[in-house]
Amino acid sequence: MSGKITNKAVEEYLYDILPPRDAVLAEMEKAASREDIPIVGPAVARMFYLLAQISGAKRIFEMGSAIGYSTIWWARAAGPKAEIYYTDSDPKNAKRAQKFFKRAGVEKRIRILTGDALVMLDHTRGNFNLIFIDVNKDQYPAAMKKAMKRLKRGGLLVTDNTLWSGRVTRKADSAATRGVQEFNHLVYGMKNLFPVMIPLRDGVTVCRKL
Ligand SMILES: C[S@@+](CC[C@H](N)C(=O)[O-])C[C@H]1O[C@@H](n2cnc3c(N)ncnc32)[C@H](O)[C@@H]1O
């Protein structure tokens, strides 16, 4: 879960200084590390928690949720009256996530949708205060365009892996890198978005819709 952007000593410092997580999150972090599940990890997750709390976001749509680690952080930050949408294309992930949500005490505020997150968004009603993009990287431009239509004004578009292990700085040799590069250029070129790229872990871009 550690990133490849800052140097090793700084990276270790960023994680060593974090307070311990509760038993459920700690177990999920261990499972992610053991099974190579690319969760955002606790440093980025704390930023998510802060973003949700500062913005007061209550309706949150997550595109790409895996075992539900980031979902639990959004759900806890947004509180009992929140409505958080979990999406993943793999039903096995969704089953596993559901058990974690129960144990984390947040299952009532989470709606689980299985399938392509870009399609699942069309199966929901109303607009969102916050949309988080963490799907396949070649889908980033399309996911952003879809998300923009459903994000409230003043809402946050949060996207993970926007530095893509530094590969964004080089000529793209894969559809994934091309997707992230195109996404980065698109958001910085949009008049109705105010983006900031944060070099935490693998890069997180936080945009406010104007
Ligand atoms: C990086 S992981 C998500 C990690 C999660 N956000 C976290 O930090 O705990 C990406 C997940 O998105 C799923 N995925 C990829 N593309 C998707 C899509 N178009 N729709 C739904 N799920 C997708 C994959 O199955 C994978 O579990």
Side-chain angles (χ1 to χ4, degrees):
M1 94 192 40
S2 65
K4 297 154 198 141
I5 308 300
T6 51
N7 74 49
K8 197 166 177 281
V10 171
E11 202 63 26
E12 278 171 14
Y13 187 82
L14 280 169
Y15 287 88
D16 287 349
I17 206 163
L18 297 176
R21 273 71 66 199
D22 71 2
V24 182
L25 290 174
E27 185 183 320
M28 294 173 91
E29 287 171 19
K30 272 201 191 126
S33 161
R34 194 175 56 235
E35 299 170 41
D36 226 359
I37 304 166
I39 62 169
V40 292
V44 168
R46 284 179 71 84
M47 183 172 73
F48 288 179
Y49 190 93
L50 193 63
L51 286 172
Q53 291 228 310
I54 295 170
S55 66
K58 292 287 172 225
R59 291 199 86 223
I60 298 178
F61 191 92
E62 186 173 67
M63 301 173 118
S65 306
I67 56 171
Y69 180 83
S70 49
T71 328
I72 290 177
W73 282 86
W74 292 125
R76 285 183 171 166
K81 295 208 173 110
E83 193 178 29
I84 318 290
Y85 284 83
Y86 162 107
T87 64
D88 205 276
S89 44
D90 184 344
K92 280 194 244 107
N93 278 341
K95 259 198 168 158
R96 220 169 151 190
Q98 189 167 26
K99 289 187 191 143
F100 284 126
F101 297 156
K102 248 196 178 135
R103 286 174 54 202
V106 290
E107 80 273 23
K108 289 209 177 96
R109 59 191 93 157
I110 298 174
R111 315 264 170 277
I112 296 177
L113 302 176
T114 309
D116 188 331
L118 283 74
V119 176
M120 291 300 117
L121 186 57
D122 293 334
H123 293 189
T124 63
R125 287 203 197 150
N127 288 340
F128 292 89
N129 306 110
L130 192 154
I131 299 182
F132 172 47
I133 300 178
D134 200 9
V135 286
N136 290 336
K137 309 311 155 195
D138 59 316
Q139 294 184 299
Y140 270 24
M144 184 276 283
K145 286 171 196 164
K146 281 226 108 157
M148 280 301 284
K149 292 189 187 137
R150 302 293 301 282
L151 193 62
K152 288 186 188 183
R153 263 178 78 182
L156 297 177
L157 180 74
V158 180
T159 307
D160 193 32
N161 309 105
T162 52
L163 290 172
W164 201 222
S165 307
R167 279 171 290 208
V168 286
T169 61
R170 301 189 287 272
K171 192 170 180 289
D173 58 0
S174 70
T177 303
R178 261 191 300 282
V180 180
Q181 287 173 330
E182 191 188 334
F183 170 90
N184 289 340
H185 280 109
L186 279 171
V187 292
Y188 274 95
M190 287 174 79
K191 286 202 173 70
N192 58 345
L193 273 185
F194 188 88
V196 177
M197 205 186 283
I198 299 159
L200 186 60
R201 200 184 72 103
D202 198 25
V204 180
T205 297
V206 181
C207 308
R208 184 159 195 251
K209 186 172 172 182
L210 305 173

